Amino acid sequence: MTAELVRGQNHPLPHTRLEIRVSAGAPVIAGATLGDQNGTVAGPEWVAHPGSPALPGLEVSRQAAADHRLAVDLGALPEECHRVTVLLALPLTAGGPARFGAVAAPFAAVTALDGTEVAGYTITGLDTESAVVALELYRRQGAWKMRAVGQGYAGGLPAMLADQGLDRAAELADTIQRAVATGMTRSVAAPPPRTAEGDRARRGASLTTSGAPAPADAAPVPGPAQDNGPAPDTAPAPDTVPAAQVSAGPISYAHPRRAVTAPQTPGAATGRPGTPPPGRPAAPVAGDATGWSMDERLYNQVWGMFEDLARTTAAYRSAVDFAESRMDQELDRVLSDPRSRIGSAGDAARAAARAKCDELTARAREALDRDLAQLTAEAEVVEPALPVAYADWDNPVWHGYRVPTEAPMAVRLGDLHLPESPGLRIPMLVRLPLERGLWVDSGRSGSDAAVLMDDGELRRLAVDTAVLHAARLLAVHPAGGYAVHVIDPAGSAAASLAPLAASGVLAAPPAAGAGGVASVLTRLTQRVELVRMAVSGGATDALPPDLDTADQLLIVNDFPHGFDDRAVTQLRYLADEGPAVGVHLLLVADREDARAYGPVLDPLWRSLLRLTPVPDDHLADPWVGHAWTYEPPRLPAGSGVLRHVLSQVAGAGPNWRR
């Protein structure tokens, strides 16, 4: 039976390899410190946090999230470590809670690798505290125990780290908060939580980490909104791969809300044609997820595929890491024995260690390939069924495009894939209305493709990409529901902007020169201020009758050219406050061009979702934190679909040419 602890209570730990699962009512930072016999933390190098997530025997999440899994291997901790202290803190994000008293009480549980809960602790009584010591794992007389602590700190993360005995705690706390902010910036925002009735419930066979169908009586695997991936590289049995890593076993990286049903007979309530042969996954079906409409079901299905691919890849990588770690340990044992260091016995031992590593790696790859085959089959069915908001530009659905009567729940901004499966691309769907602005990076930072490209060609491609994003946003909104403004100070993007300007879908001709920059920014800034005051004062009925109620998108090319200090301040204001009142930013810029502003513009870059005009692996998923390669949208060669779509949009609503 699971032990429910109260503050100060301890409990023995029956296993050395554990998971610490944390659930909170809001995104929190999870970290841990390693302490000596007196509980003293030797230095920052003994702190696992999002900026430095792995220590020997310990791994924590790389991002702030409402759910975490911390991997602990007590047998792999340094010999001088006698205490592992689990720390939670609220991130310093705009609009986020500033104290634990404003959110649901956090819950922490220690579990075995098969998910069996050893003991849990609900941290109650918190109010003004923004950081808390949740649990301690401590060693006494050779045995490990856990203790429920629940010590909160109104002084936040710096005060908590200082209480751990760390010098320069404020600097370390700042480093952690910056790492969290960076992680949030590059993470694709997960869908908002849904009720149990709205959770994705695939009616077909479930993917396990082995790729085989789960048993019919299997329950959905509970899982976090974010998982930091594999546990440390030690494993119990010398001749087996941990079940969680290759074979169907106690830990599953599969979609945590995936439901498995018993076999159906023809004509059963599932609507499927019948039961597939034993051992064969059910044929994938487009829209095989829950939702009130087909669009919502497809949206949930795509996000389920995204999560499935993230988790099955995490399982594969964990298995490979284990195999390599196991080989290293066996080679170390061979080299530590002088009798086997040289000669035929040593050679045989080294060959056996490498052969076992190759065997385990091959089994892991086989399991991954089975999962990828099922996901690929699903993608081949789902992609042709996507509506225009989710469809790629080469989808035939665009040829029958008509202006919609209502906005969709999400929009596609490109594709994502991982190096283990470059051919399996997941549509990158972002919820509408946009919660943050977009930044198409026209610089060379971080991308091999960008480094090899001519500077002028890269900038042109960046504007072309921005035009495709703007065209899609226009296309998925009802007539008159979206207005696009353009600032092109030097007129350098006239050729790329021609499809928008010539079709008449822009609210006004592209603004050029310092005067044009100031005019557009002032007008949109005043609109944001006016609507914000009306909303906060509950006086929206007092807004001017001629106020354009459409969402506004501002495309800014070649920032910061043509911007003075006042214009920069206005742009930052629009980026921060605009999305809440329907004013959105699409920035085309090279960050190096703005380096003269120094850290002043850092909040601007962090507030925007960075996209690239060429493939780049800068985005992360919100569950495991893999680096995903982003593929920007592209028009098929010689296609007239963009012209057709823009002509439909222009014909359905008012524009400046009329």
Side-chain angles (χ1 to χ4, degrees):
M1 180 179 292
T2 301
E4 295 291 339
L5 305 185
V6 297
R7 185 174 182 179
Q9 187 177 358
N10 59 28
H11 191 276
L13 295 175
H15 312 285
T16 58
R17 301 187 75 218
L18 305 162
E19 277 193 340
I20 300 173
R21 301 186 180 188
V22 175
S23 298
V28 297
I29 303 168
T33 61
L34 303 183
D36 61 15
Q37 206 160 10
N38 300 316
T40 303
V41 181
E45 66 277 6
W46 276 36
V47 182
H49 58 81
S52 179
L55 294 175
L58 175 65
E59 191 168 2
V60 304
S61 302
R62 292 173 171 82
Q63 299 168 232
D67 298 277
H68 292 271
R69 286 182 181 178
L70 284 65
V72 181
D73 187 343
L74 301 174
L77 294 172
E79 290 186 8
E80 56 268 39
C81 173
H82 288 259
R83 184 177 302 178
V84 179
T85 305
V86 180
L87 315 176
L88 306 178
L90 293 171
L92 301 177
T93 55
R99 59 189 183 90
F100 274 110
V103 300
F107 174 77
V110 175
T111 73
L113 289 187
D114 62 359
T116 304
E117 194 170 299
V118 177
Y121 171 44
T122 302
I123 308 171
T124 58
L126 299 177
D127 186 11
T128 60
E129 297 88 347
S130 60
V132 61
V133 174
L135 301 171
E136 282 183 348
L137 311 184
Y138 62 95
R139 179 165 52 187
R140 183 162 297 168
Q141 296 178 347
W144 282 92
K145 296 182 179 182
M146 65 172 290
R147 178 185 292 116
V149 181
Q151 175 64 53
Y153 294 84
L157 188 56
M160 181 168 62
L161 293 174
D163 199 38
Q164 295 287 309
L166 287 162
D167 296 330
R168 305 172 73 175
E171 292 184 19
L172 179 57
D174 182 62
T175 298
I176 295 171
Q177 293 285 2
R178 282 190 280 110
V180 170
T182 301
M184 289 183 170
T185 298
R186 63 187 291 266
S187 177
V188 181
R194 301 187 297 275
T195 62
E197 292 78 9
D199 283 344
R200 179 179 187 239
R202 297 290 258 309
R203 292 185 292 269
S206 170
L207 286 177
T208 65
T209 50
S210 70
D217 59 351
V221 181
Q226 172 190 324
D227 184 295
N228 198 42
D233 288 336
T234 54
D239 293 323
T240 61
V241 177
Q245 294 168 329
V246 172
S247 63
I251 294 181
S252 173
Y253 286 90
H255 192 290
R257 292 183 295 275
R258 186 187 295 277
V260 185
T261 59
Q264 300 289 331
T265 57
T270 59
R272 299 290 181 91
T275 306
R280 183 181 301 172
V285 177
D288 194 10
T290 56
W292 291 104
S293 65
M294 177 57 85
D295 285 4
E296 184 178 1
R297 292 197 293 272
L298 287 168
Y299 172 82
N300 291 339
Q301 187 172 16
V302 168
W303 266 91
M305 293 163 58
F306 186 17
E307 184 170 356
D308 289 342
L309 182 54
R311 293 186 183 278
T312 194
T313 303
Y316 167 71
R317 293 180 180 179
S318 178
V320 172
D321 288 345
F322 163 73
E324 293 177 349
S325 174
R326 182 180 181 279
M327 181 183 69
D328 290 341
Q329 293 172 10
E330 292 184 354
L331 292 177
D332 287 343
R333 285 197 295 269
V334 171
L335 295 175
S336 65
D337 187 350
R339 294 170 299 178
S340 61
R341 192 175 301 167
I342 58 176
S344 58
D347 293 340
R350 284 188 285 270
R354 292 190 177 91
K356 176 59 69 173
C357 177
D358 292 342
E359 177 190 351
L360 298 181
T361 301
R363 288 167 55 190
R365 184 70 213 194
E366 182 181 356
L368 175 66
D369 288 342
R370 286 196 296 268
D371 283 355
L372 294 180
Q374 190 171 339
L375 284 170
T376 299
E378 186 173 12
E380 290 172 350
V381 171
V382 169
E383 185 71 44
L386 295 177
V388 292
Y390 309 162
D392 202 358
W393 285 105
D394 61 358
N395 193 311
V397 72
W398 285 104
H399 297 296
Y401 169 78
R402 293 292 182 270
V403 177
T405 57
E406 60 181 18
M409 65 185 301
V411 68
R412 184 173 185 161
L413 296 180
D415 294 332
L416 298 168
H417 64 84
L418 290 171
E420 287 84 355
S421 52
L424 178 55
R425 301 192 176 186
I426 305 296
M428 179 180 167
L429 302 184
V430 177
R431 287 295 293 259
L432 291 178
L434 296 174
E435 296 181 354
R436 57 196 295 201
L438 307 176
W439 163 33
V440 181
D441 189 353
S442 59
R444 299 179 179 277
S445 56
S447 171
D448 293 338
V451 170
L452 299 174
M453 189 171 291
D454 174 76
D455 184 68
E457 177 65 13
L458 184 61
R459 291 177 184 268
R460 182 197 63 77
L461 196 56
V463 182
D464 289 347
T465 303
V467 168
L468 288 180
H469 290 316
R472 184 182 290 268
L473 287 167
L474 279 165
V476 302
H477 283 83
Y482 217 75
V484 177
H485 310 263
V486 175
I487 290 178
D488 185 19
S492 59
S496 294
L497 294 170
L500 297 177
S503 63
V505 296
L506 298 179
V517 171
S519 175
V520 174
L521 290 177
T522 299
R523 186 166 65 252
L524 289 177
T525 300
Q526 290 174 347
R527 183 188 188 281
V528 171
E529 292 172 342
L530 184 64
V531 176
R532 285 186 69 243
M533 288 189 294
V535 171
S536 62
T540 54
D541 55 346
L543 288 169
D546 60 343
L547 180 74
D548 185 4
T549 58
D551 278 9
Q552 312 287 311
L553 176 69
L554 174 60
I555 303 174
V556 178
N557 179 51
D558 207 18
F559 175 80
H561 180 82
F563 280 67
D564 56 19
D565 290 346
R566 183 171 184 271
V568 169
T569 301
Q570 289 176 317
L571 190 72
R572 287 184 55 189
Y573 176 78
L574 291 178
D576 291 339
E577 306 295 340
V581 292
V583 177
H584 309 283
L585 185 62
L586 177 49
L587 189 68
V588 181
D590 179 358
R591 190 168 182 173
E592 281 298 303
D593 292 344
R595 63 183 179 276
Y597 287 92
V600 172
L601 289 182
D602 285 352
L604 172 65
W605 306 117
R606 287 197 299 267
S607 70
L608 304 174
L609 175 61
R610 177 176 173 255
L611 305 174
T612 53
V614 293
D616 188 79
D617 61 349
H618 67 286
L619 291 175
D621 64 80
W623 306 286
V624 184
H626 294 314
W628 292 72
T629 296
Y630 168 75
E631 293 279 350
R634 289 284 184 269
L635 282 176
S639 172
V641 66
L642 181 61
R643 183 170 58 254
H644 165 69
V645 169
L646 293 179
S647 66
Q648 292 286 324
V649 172
N655 61 71
W656 60 272
R657 287 186 175 275
R658 294 184 177 179

